[in-house]
Amino acid sequence: MCVQVGVIKRMLHLYTYKTILGPITIGEDDGFITYVGLPGDNPPSNQIWYENEVLTEAAFQLWEYLNGKRREFDLPLAPQGTEFQLQVWTTLQQVPYGETRSYKDIALKISNPGAYRAVGQANNRNPIPIFIPCHRVIGSNGKLIGYGGGLELKARLLDLEKCHYR
């Protein structure tokens, strides 16, 4: 998986796909995935609704993941955020399929042990959920805490991974 660091000024293409989770919108700019809208999200306005090869590949890999045939994504990702957010999002991609980490674990991994609340905020601002697996981050007590798509969707994603984890 490659992550481009930098600022993306515009999103050129969006396309919404029907999934077992509900409609998921994927956004692409200049060959990079820059956005994933979960069911219930309002996609960015004033964009071009057009499916292209990058979006088709992302949707195919998402379909494979949701059907237990893929554990890692191989997509060009370009999340837009602060240096700290990018560091958190890169670390999230290292959490293995079927496993979870706490916000504190992520803070320790980025060598900033007191930043667990900031990690939670970065997690909440992840513009590319699922592909950057912020759903794998839970409270240090093992409970599900916060998810942009709601705790029910977070639980479904974690259960899906447990079901296919071997």
Side-chain angles (χ1 to χ4, degrees):
M1 180 169 306
C2 88
V3 175
Q4 176 190 14
V5 177
V7 176
I8 302 293
K9 293 187 170 121
R10 67 191 193 287
M11 184 180 312
L12 295 178
H13 302 108
L14 290 172
Y15 203 79
T16 300
Y17 298 90
K18 293 179 184 177
T19 75
I20 60 172
L21 303 175
I24 292 183
T25 301
I26 305 173
E28 172 272 337
D29 182 15
D30 199 26
F32 292 90
I33 301 299
T34 58
Y35 171 83
V36 170
L38 300 173
D41 285 351
N42 292 319
S45 59
N46 300 323
Q47 304 303 325
I48 300 169
W49 291 89
Y50 175 78
E51 187 176 35
N52 62 28
E53 290 179 25
V54 173
L55 294 173
T56 301
E57 179 61 24
F60 178 70
Q61 289 189 29
L62 178 63
W63 178 88
E64 288 182 319
Y65 165 80
L66 293 173
N67 287 282
K69 299 177 185 308
R70 175 176 289 274
R71 293 182 179 200
E72 294 180 12
F73 296 103
D74 183 23
L75 296 167
L77 305 179
Q80 184 178 358
T82 66
E83 187 175 324
F84 179 82
Q85 290 170 332
L86 292 168
Q87 186 179 23
V88 169
W89 299 334
T90 298
T91 303
L92 294 178
Q93 293 175 65
Q94 298 167 12
V95 178
Y97 179 97
E99 296 183 21
T100 58
R101 299 291 185 271
S102 70
Y103 295 98
K104 184 177 180 180
D105 293 335
I106 301 298
L108 289 169
K109 183 80 172 169
I110 63 171
S111 301
N112 199 340
Y116 56 91
R117 285 195 174 127
V119 166
Q121 291 173 346
N123 219 38
N124 184 50
R125 289 184 175 91
N126 175 9
I128 312 175
I130 303 177
F131 297 139
I132 298 177
C134 53
H135 62 277
R136 295 180 187 153
V137 183
I138 60 174
S140 56
N141 61 1
K143 293 191 178 187
L144 301 186
I145 299 174
Y147 188 63
L151 292 182
E152 182 181 322
L153 180 58
K154 183 174 190 165
R156 285 183 70 189
L157 289 167
L158 292 173
D159 287 346
L160 178 141
E161 290 187 11
K162 283 181 193 172
C163 178
H164 297 290
Y165 185 72
R166 292 169 231 232

